[in-house]
Amino acid sequence: MRFTLTTLIVKDLDRSLAFYRDVLGMPLITRFATGAGEIAMLGEQEHAHLELVASGQPVPENPGQGISVGFYVDDAQELIRKIGAPAQGPITPNPHLRFFFIQDPDGYRVQLLEKTA
């Protein structure tokens, strides 16, 4: 078994792509129309993907409850300043890692991780 993808229902695909692709730097693998909207797949070809689905379905009322998607970044604090979003953290579970939580445009929790040693 291999973990393949995480799907997020989003309100505005262009706005979500601006966040995940343009700000966080995730490569866009594909974007295509469906009968009910659009789907974009992001990530590295050989790794798990992030699937963004904009189909007119409502975004969950509390999308950040109990789940987050995480990304290793070079400088989390600089990225947080660039985004201009409020952040929770830093959280340092061990001497080699620290992370912050922010929210994406639809309110999903995003974890920005940094290796510290």
Side-chain angles (χ1 to χ4, degrees):
M1 179 172 70
R2 183 177 71 125
F3 180 69
T4 306
L5 64 90
T6 297
T7 301
L8 300 179
I9 305 300
V10 301
K11 185 174 183 178
D12 181 327
L13 189 57
D14 289 325
R15 186 176 71 166
S16 293
L17 283 172
F19 179 80
Y20 287 102
R21 180 192 59 208
D22 302 340
V23 174
L24 295 183
M26 291 190 77
L28 177 64
I29 297 169
T30 188
R31 179 179 181 168
F32 55 92
T34 67
E38 281 190 280
I39 295 175
M41 300 292 281
L42 297 109
E44 304 289 333
Q45 284 288 354
E46 60 281 347
H47 297 288
H49 299 150
L50 181 64
E51 177 183 43
L52 303 176
V53 177
S55 63
Q57 297 177 40
V59 173
E61 189 173 315
N62 294 308
Q65 296 280 68
I67 190 168
S68 66
V69 292
F71 302 92
Y72 274 108
V73 298
D74 292 329
D75 187 339
Q77 290 179 312
E78 178 60 31
L79 191 55
I80 291 164
R81 277 192 289 278
K82 179 180 177 183
I83 296 168
Q88 176 189 358
I91 300 163
T92 308
N94 65 58
H96 307 288
L97 179 72
R98 73 177 177 174
F99 59 88
F100 299 82
F101 286 105
I102 61 170
Q103 289 188 344
D104 83 350
D106 290 295
Y108 292 103
R109 283 175 50 119
V110 175
Q111 189 176 13
L112 303 175
L113 299 104
E114 290 180 330
K115 294 180 182 178
T116 57

